[in-house]
Amino acid sequence: MAMESAKEFAKNFYEDDELIKKLYEMGVLKPAGSYDKNAPEGEQQRKTVEAAQKLGYNFTEEEYLKANKEYGESVGIFKKILKIRHVGKVVKKAAKANKK
């Protein structure tokens, strides 16, 4: 059951604009639509899992990493890159709206 929750979150992380905006508002994603590149190793996964749990998902960091990897393999690298760019666009829009 937890693995199913992780798989759902991994898919929604790239495709659900409302979830992407919530993660930005919770400080998980930066205005550029990416993680904090200066964070210590494992810190971003922990923050992502904690945010997901606050939003009602139920899984561990290991399950999240596995589900995220499976999602990437299922859509292919090029499609995943496009989805990552989509996340960036949604976050930039949210950041712009928050500045107003």
Side-chain angles (χ1 to χ4, degrees), residues 56-90:
Y57 292 91
N58 182 27
F59 52 83
T60 65
E61 286 182 46
E62 294 79 24
E63 290 165 331
Y64 167 67
L65 292 173
K66 184 177 178 185
N68 197 29
K69 182 180 179 196
E70 286 177 12
Y71 175 79
E73 290 170 352
S74 74
V75 297
I77 187 70
F78 296 113
K79 195 167 185 180
K80 188 170 182 187
I81 289 170
L82 292 175
K83 290 183 179 288
I84 291 169
R85 287 183 178 166
H86 172 76
V87 170
K89 288 176 185 174
V90 172

Side-chain angles (χ1 to χ4, degrees), residues 24 29-34 88 91-93 95 99:
Y24 165 70
L29 296 172
K30 299 296 172 201
S34 64
V91 170
K92 284 178 187 174
K93 219 182 262 187
K99 286 184 180 178

Side-chain angles (χ1 to χ4, degrees), residues 17-73:
D17 291 1
E18 289 304 312
L19 175 64
I20 295 166
K21 288 176 192 173
K22 286 179 187 171
L23 291 172
Y24 165 70
E25 290 166 359
M26 296 172 90
V28 174
L29 296 172
K30 299 296 172 201
S34 64
Y35 284 130
D36 180 1
K37 292 173 181 58
N38 297 321
E41 187 166 338
E43 179 71 13
Q44 281 303 146
Q45 290 87 353
R46 185 186 60 71
K47 280 176 132 179
T48 302
V49 171
E50 286 176 0
Q53 290 170 345
K54 288 178 184 174
L55 295 171
Y57 292 91
N58 182 27
F59 52 83
T60 65
E61 286 182 46
E62 294 79 24
E63 290 165 331
Y64 167 67
L65 292 173
K66 184 177 178 185
N68 197 29
K69 182 180 179 196
E70 286 177 12
Y71 175 79
E73 290 170 352

